[in-house]
């Protein structure tokens, strides 16, 4: 669903981080969302960027997102920082949630930099439910770490570790021993995510959940295969150098899509036959093994033909 919202407030909350409060121009309630959800901001020049919702899930009067200025980025964050202001209109799609909060007895949250944004609503939810939880939050400097003031009310459960004061997070000590009934949630830069995945290798498979807003490097070979569209029985050839999404769209079949790099989950498509070659950053290991859905913007096929629910 595409919404046109107005920037009701823009506030700098840390070095290089601004928080936008977005409301409907007519004041109508916005679609409800759950912790872990994100929206796609549709910016000029066909630029689409995903940002986690970081307000209160029960508040449908406004959405809040926090945006880090990325000097080496592709222009999306620069536009938000330099061009968007109070009173401006902005288009967004969503909300969508591929980082949902599962039911667990205990929670361990690990956040790096702007990766704190999807964690905040999760903390609020588990705290309200009276669950056991802790947060370890790292960043470059204390002044660059957003929401630290908000986290002070959770004294005893939150550990804040700026890198210039404490070095890198001590993940080996934090994750050395698997903890029964504990769900681990991690969001942050790719080196942190990769390190947490490595140190959780001995944990139960479904214990760790991560969220990426940058594509995982894909060094896998491209091979040709076929896709069958179950709705019409049409069979399309997918060349080694093209995506399923491109081929399906070219055939005239409309498919919802956004990031086109396997991070947002918009193009999730049901798989009715064949074995997907998953190359996205969305699905869990268990979901990949089940092979019931795939992201057709980046993923390919391990079998000569895939049958898709299209």
């Amino acid at each position: 669903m595409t919404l046109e919202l107005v920037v009701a407030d823009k506030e700098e909350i840390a070095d290089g981080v601004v928080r936008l409060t977005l409301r409907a121009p007519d004041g109508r309630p916005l679609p409800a969302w759950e912790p872990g959800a994100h929206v796609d901001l549709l910016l000029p020049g066909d630029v689409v960027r995903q940002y986690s919702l970081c307000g209160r899930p029960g508040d449908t009067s406004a959405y809040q997102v926090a945006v880090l200025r990325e000097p080496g980025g592709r222009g999306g964050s620069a536009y938000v920082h330099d061009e968007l202001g109070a009173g401006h209109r902005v288009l967004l799609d969503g909300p969508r949630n591929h980082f949902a909060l599962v039911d667990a007895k205990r929670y361990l949250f690990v956040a790096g930099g702007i990766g704190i944004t999807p964690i905040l609503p999760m903390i609020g939810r588990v705290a309200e439910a009276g669950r056991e939880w802790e947060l370890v939050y790292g960043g470059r400097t204390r002044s660059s770490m957003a929401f630290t003031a908000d986290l002070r009310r959770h004294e005893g459960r939150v550990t804040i570790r700026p890198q210039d004061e404490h070095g890198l997070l001590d993940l080996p000590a934090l994750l050395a021993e698997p903890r029964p009934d504990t769900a681990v949630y991690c969001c942050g830069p790719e080196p942190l995510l990769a390190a947490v995945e490595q140190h959780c290798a001995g944990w139960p498979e479904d214990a760790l959940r991560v969220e990426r807003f940058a594509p995982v490097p894909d060094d896998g070979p491209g091979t040709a295969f076929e896709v069958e569209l179950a709705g019409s029985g049409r069979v399309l050839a997918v060349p080694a150098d093209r995506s399923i999404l491109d081929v399906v769209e070219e055939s005239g079949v409309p498919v919802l899509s956004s990031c086109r790099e396997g991070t947002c989950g918009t193009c999730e498509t049901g798989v009715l036959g064949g074995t997907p070659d998953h190359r996205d950053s969305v699905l869990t290991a268990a979901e990949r093994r089940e092979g019931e859905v795939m992201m057709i913007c980046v993923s390919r096929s391990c079998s000569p033909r895939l049958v898709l629910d299209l």
Side-chain angles (χ1 to χ4, degrees):
M1 175 189 303
T2 299
L3 304 172
E4 182 182 46
L5 304 185
V6 63
V7 179
D9 185 58
K10 180 180 180 180
E11 176 188 7
E12 184 171 4
I13 57 174
D15 291 347
V17 180
V18 295
R19 175 172 55 194
L20 301 180
T21 300
L22 308 170
R23 301 183 186 274
D26 59 2
R28 72 187 186 281
L30 301 177
W33 58 280
E34 290 295 314
H38 72 269
V39 294
D40 300 345
L41 288 191
L42 312 181
L43 305 176
D46 294 326
V47 174
V48 180
R49 295 292 180 269
Q50 291 81 43
Y51 297 108
S52 297
L53 292 172
C54 56
R56 290 192 306 106
D59 181 8
T60 58
S61 68
Y63 289 156
Q64 289 189 331
V65 297
V67 180
L68 170 69
R69 180 190 288 275
E70 300 186 45
R74 294 168 290 175
S77 67
Y79 178 84
V80 170
H81 276 254
D82 299 336
E83 304 296 335
L84 275 185
H88 289 185
R89 301 292 180 101
V90 64
L91 296 176
L92 64 79
D93 278 343
R96 301 185 183 89
N97 200 339
H98 290 277
F99 196 43
L101 186 64
V102 299
D103 185 45
K105 185 175 181 179
R106 304 177 184 86
Y107 297 87
L108 171 59
F109 300 106
V110 183
I114 199 63
I116 188 64
T117 52
I119 301 298
L120 282 177
M122 294 183 179
I123 287 174
R125 178 63 57 82
V126 300
E128 289 173 1
R131 302 297 174 87
E132 295 182 34
W133 65 273
E134 66 173 303
L135 164 68
V136 178
Y137 178 20
R140 292 181 294 103
T141 63
R142 192 173 296 271
S143 63
S144 72
M145 299 171 69
F147 301 109
T148 53
D150 297 336
L151 293 168
R152 290 194 188 107
R153 62 191 179 94
H154 299 295
E155 185 177 357
R157 294 187 180 273
V158 176
T159 302
I160 295 176
R161 287 289 184 267
Q163 186 176 344
D164 64 340
E165 298 176 23
H166 302 279
L168 297 175
L169 297 181
D170 190 0
L171 298 179
L174 182 65
L175 301 169
E177 295 294 332
R179 306 182 197 178
D181 305 319
T182 299
V184 182
Y185 279 81
C186 181
C187 187
E190 181 58 33
L192 173 65
L193 301 182
V196 169
E197 287 176 329
Q198 177 185 350
H199 290 294
C200 281
W203 288 57
E205 183 182 67
D206 60 351
L208 174 64
R209 287 165 176 80
V210 302
E211 180 164 57
R212 289 178 164 91
F213 283 130
V216 176
D218 179 15
D219 298 324
T223 56
F225 56 94
E226 295 179 336
V227 292
E228 179 180 336
L229 309 185
S232 63
R234 296 175 62 189
V235 176
L236 307 175
V238 181
D241 61 348
R242 302 194 66 200
S243 70
I244 299 173
L245 178 60
D246 287 340
V247 171
V248 170
E249 286 182 331
E250 188 178 80
S251 75
V253 177
V255 180
L256 289 176
S257 66
S258 179
C259 72
R260 307 185 82 92
E261 55 186 19
T263 60
C264 74
T266 307
C267 69
E268 179 179 307
T269 301
V271 179
L272 305 179
T275 304
D277 176 10
H278 296 290
R279 303 189 183 189
D280 64 274
S281 304
V282 176
L283 298 177
T284 65
E287 290 169 334
R288 291 182 175 212
R289 190 169 54 251
E290 291 166 359
E292 295 180 356
V293 297
M294 67 185 298
M295 307 304 152
I296 62 173
C297 64
V298 292
S299 296
R300 303 190 67 79
S301 180
C302 296
S303 51
R305 179 180 291 188
L306 289 173
V307 181
L308 302 180
D309 189 15
L310 289 173

